[in-house]
Amino acid sequence: MASNLASALITKLTASNVLDGADVQALQQLPIKQRRLAAQQIIVADGSQPQECCLLEEGFAFRAKMTPDGHRQVLSLHIPGEIPDLQSLHLNVMDHDLLTLTPCSLGFIPHAALRNLNRQRPKVADALWRETLIDAAMFREWIVNIGRRSATERMAHLFVEVHSRLRAIGRTTDGDFSFPITQGDLADCLGLSVVHVNRVLQSFRKEGLIRAERSEYRIVDHSKLQEVAGFDPTYLHARPGA
């Protein structure tokens, strides 16, 4: 089971990093315990002190902060193969919540095992560090998205980003991709009201940019949607060494 869980991590790491056979074998041997959670469940709570990191095998997860008056801001979305709380290796206390967006299959890796792996396999350590830096680059882009882009640009940018990240791990077919997110969750990602989210989605449909059927999306005109978003993929650093 651990090797099956590790395969998601290996797929994600090798999409943007160069690892050799011994590195891959070491990842396959990680002691990973599987756990399944329903949608909208806390994986790691704000203020907790985890002793393991969470690997997302299947499903979508997100980071979020709550304001004192109960408003939620989604800080980032996470896809299979990612370890969204990798920083807990070095930061003892979580300063945000990590939650499931959809039903998820998760793998939990003890901090001690990851630290040992980093010491023994420098290329893996480099890859995990690089993934952390890419995560920070995406976070910067999200700040710009919420702070300086219009509602239409925000949503276009989010859809193009999610599609690009899923395509890198082989989870798209042409413009089709699974993205089971509610309009309420989209609103929390984009800093918009649900009414505004619905209005923008309807405009995308009418303009022939996106088709949506429940949790399945299709980007009909990728070039146009990128143009609307002002999307520059540099911050995703998708190619090894790029």
Side-chain angles (χ1 to χ4, degrees):
M1 182 60 70
S3 62
N4 292 337
L5 289 163
S7 65
L9 175 60
I10 292 164
T11 297
K12 181 66 177 65
L13 288 180
T14 54
S16 54
N17 300 275
V18 178
L19 299 176
D20 62 29
D23 295 325
V24 171
Q25 186 176 25
L27 287 165
Q28 290 171 333
Q29 293 173 349
L30 279 170
I32 309 175
K33 291 185 289 187
Q34 188 179 47
R35 184 180 171 195
R36 289 186 171 87
L37 288 179
Q40 302 295 332
Q41 299 297 304
I42 292 177
I43 303 170
V44 189
D46 191 347
S48 66
Q49 296 178 289
Q51 299 301 309
E52 54 193 4
C53 286
C54 172
L55 165 64
L56 182 59
E57 183 199 16
E58 288 292 340
F60 290 81
F62 66 98
R63 297 190 189 114
K65 290 283 285 187
M66 298 292 294
T67 63
D69 57 355
H71 294 290
R72 185 179 73 177
Q73 179 62 54
V74 173
L75 307 172
S76 57
L77 288 172
H78 296 278
I79 65 172
E82 295 184 345
I83 306 178
D85 62 341
L86 191 60
Q87 69 270 26
S88 69
L89 269 176
H90 305 289
L91 302 178
N92 293 331
V93 180
M94 286 287 285
D95 56 23
H96 59 277
D97 290 319
L98 175 63
L99 307 99
T100 59
L101 178 68
T102 66
C104 287
S105 173
L106 308 167
F108 290 88
I109 313 170
H111 284 173
L114 279 171
R115 291 192 181 104
N116 187 51
L117 176 66
N118 286 340
R119 287 192 294 267
Q120 292 183 354
R121 307 303 309 175
K123 286 184 180 179
V124 174
D126 286 347
L128 292 174
W129 175 230
R130 188 169 187 271
E131 290 298 304
T132 302
L133 294 175
I134 293 171
D135 183 66
M138 289 191 289
F139 185 69
R140 291 190 290 272
E141 194 68 30
W142 272 55
I143 293 174
V144 175
N145 209 38
I146 293 173
R148 291 299 176 186
R149 293 188 177 113
S150 69
T152 299
E153 292 166 342
R154 289 181 208 183
M155 189 175 295
H157 202 280
L158 179 66
F159 279 118
V160 175
E161 178 189 294
V162 170
H163 179 266
S164 297
R165 291 166 65 189
L166 290 173
R167 182 176 57 197
I169 60 170
R171 300 224 174 198
T172 64
T173 304
D174 296 326
D176 294 333
F177 62 106
S178 178
F179 188 32
I181 189 167
T182 68
Q183 292 189 13
D185 289 329
L186 273 176
D188 287 346
C189 287
L190 301 172
L192 301 171
S193 69
V194 175
V195 171
H196 207 160
V197 164
N198 183 266
R199 188 179 303 131
V200 176
L201 276 173
Q202 292 299 331
S203 72
F204 283 174
R205 290 188 181 103
K206 289 178 181 177
E207 293 171 26
L209 298 176
I210 285 178
R211 292 178 190 158
E213 184 67 33
R214 295 185 180 179
S215 64
E216 302 299 318
Y217 286 85
R218 179 176 181 80
I219 297 179
V220 180
D221 191 334
H222 201 278
S223 296
K224 180 62 176 177
L225 197 64
Q226 278 190 306
E227 182 182 336
V228 170
F231 188 83
D232 178 353
T234 302
Y235 74 100
L236 295 176
H237 301 282
R239 290 177 292 120

